[in-house]
């Protein structure tokens, strides 16, 4: 069964460093998302992406964050200068059809630890 | 807040028993989705129920939706130890085509063998 994959599974970085989290959505899906979950807290929406541009972003997704679909398969989240409070599990998700009406399938997550 | 809120926060049952988790929300919705998360792992999609649906089944799972009460329930019948996980409801606002999911805090289900 097709699934969303994410790499790496765990990333440790120093505060102020740039990180790139990678995702391979399900191949025929058209809508892509990033969410994060700080330990013990709710899963929070970061950004949605469709047709090679951001559709919606939350207040968390500030200028330090960017997303890109550099080729036909990868979808990346970049954090330019990491802060301690960026430590969280980051989930990528994808959806086949019109995003408000279809299931979103999540990857296994990347655990980001900022020291 | 549009977010779904699950109830109870924690549920502990024996194998073979049924587990019922509830979700309440405040806005009008397109759909409501239930997810499972094993400790420290990813989110597994369980069921999507649309705003014009009242009940859906998938294997041992039964989801109901009452839009007049802005609530949903997830029933797991004949539970197994492997069902131990956190269960989340997530909503999409009515009219949203962008797919932003709002999650609740989850119900931690423990099934004892």
């Amino acid at each position: 069964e097709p699934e969303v994959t994410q790499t790496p599974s765990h990333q440790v970085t120093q505060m102020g460093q740039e990180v790139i989290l990678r995702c391979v959505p399900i191949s025929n899906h058209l809508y892509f998302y990033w969410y994060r979950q700080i330990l013990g807290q709710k899963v929070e929406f970061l950004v949605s992406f469709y047709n090679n541009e951001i559709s919606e972003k939350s207040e968390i997704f500030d200028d330090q964050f960017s997303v890109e679909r550099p080729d036909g398969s990868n979808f990346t989240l970049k954090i330019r200068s990491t802060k301690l409070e960026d430590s969280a599990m980051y989930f990528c998700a994808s959806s086949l059809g019109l995003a408000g009406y279809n299931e979103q399938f999540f990857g296994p997550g990347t655990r980001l630890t900022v020291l | 807040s549009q977010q779904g809120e699950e109830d109870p926060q924690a549920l502990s049952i024996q194998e073979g028993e049924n587990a019922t988790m509830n979700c309440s929300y405040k806005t009008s919705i397109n759909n409501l989705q239930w997810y499972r998360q094993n400790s420290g792992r990813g989110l597994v999609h369980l069921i999507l129920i649309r705003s014009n649906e009242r009940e859906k089944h998938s294997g041992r799972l039964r989801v109901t939706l009452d839009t007049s009460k802005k609530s949903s329930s997830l029933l797991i019948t004949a539970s197994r130890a492997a069902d131990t996980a956190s269960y989340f409801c997530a909503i999409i606002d009515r009219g949203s085509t962008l797919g932003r999911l709002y999650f609740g805090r989850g119900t931690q289900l423990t099934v004892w063998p």
Side-chain angles (χ1 to χ4, degrees):
Chain A
E1 188 174 325
E3 57 184 19
V4 177
T5 59
Q6 290 185 243
T7 54
S9 57
H10 193 181
Q11 174 94 44
V12 181
T13 189
Q14 294 288 329
M15 190 169 58
Q17 295 295 304
E18 175 184 287
V19 294
I20 297 177
L21 310 182
R22 302 180 191 281
C23 167
V24 179
I26 295 173
S27 62
N28 59 340
H29 283 191
L30 301 175
Y31 298 82
F32 313 113
Y33 311 86
W34 285 100
Y35 292 80
R36 78 172 187 191
Q37 185 181 32
I38 295 172
L39 189 63
Q41 297 190 22
K42 296 184 185 187
V43 176
E44 302 172 289
F45 170 84
L46 292 177
V47 66
S48 60
F49 191 87
Y50 169 69
N51 201 26
N52 280 320
E53 59 183 26
I54 290 174
S55 305
E56 185 180 6
K57 57 184 180 180
S58 73
E59 55 283 356
I60 302 168
F61 194 89
D62 62 21
D63 292 344
Q64 293 300 310
F65 291 87
S66 62
V67 289
E68 196 178 30
R69 188 155 163 82
D71 52 42
S73 60
N74 290 284
F75 180 51
T76 61
L77 174 70
K78 182 192 289 187
I79 309 175
R80 270 182 260 285
S81 177
T82 50
K83 308 184 192 75
L84 295 176
E85 54 265 36
D86 293 328
S87 293
M89 187 77 117
Y90 287 80
F91 294 107
C92 173
S94 69
S95 177
L96 173 61
L98 194 57
Y101 299 92
N102 288 273
E103 297 89 341
Q104 291 183 27
F105 295 94
F106 283 72
T110 292
R111 182 170 298 284
L112 177 65
T113 303
V114 182
L115 303 176
Chain B
S1 151
Q2 299 95 323
Q3 292 158 333
E5 295 296 340
E6 294 87 348
D7 166 58
Q9 289 187 346
L11 182 61
S12 187
I13 60 174
Q14 293 289 125
E15 259 190 338
E17 294 180 340
N18 295 341
T20 300
M21 288 158 273
N22 302 297
C23 170
S24 60
Y25 56 90
K26 295 182 179 178
T27 189
S28 295
I29 61 171
N30 269 348
N31 65 63
L32 185 147
Q33 306 185 37
W34 283 91
Y35 289 85
R36 184 186 75 228
Q37 183 181 37
N38 290 83
S39 180
R41 306 289 293 276
L43 293 157
V44 175
H45 188 272
L46 297 177
I47 286 187
L48 179 153
I49 187 164
R50 303 190 193 285
S51 60
N52 61 351
E53 297 175 313
R54 292 296 166 258
E55 189 170 311
K56 279 188 92 165
H57 296 255
S58 176
R60 293 184 296 113
L61 306 180
R62 174 178 164 247
V63 168
T64 62
L65 179 65
D66 187 335
T67 52
S68 67
K69 294 181 179 176
K70 290 186 165 54
S71 67
S72 173
S73 67
L74 170 67
L75 168 68
I76 304 173
T77 59
S79 62
R80 305 167 182 164
D83 295 328
T84 294
S86 291
Y87 291 82
F88 298 89
C89 67
I91 62 166
I92 291 184
D93 283 347
R94 177 178 293 284
S96 168
T97 58
L98 302 176
R100 175 175 182 166
L101 282 170
Y102 292 90
F103 282 83
R105 291 190 183 279
T107 292
Q108 172 60 51
L109 173 67
T110 302
V111 182
W112 298 100

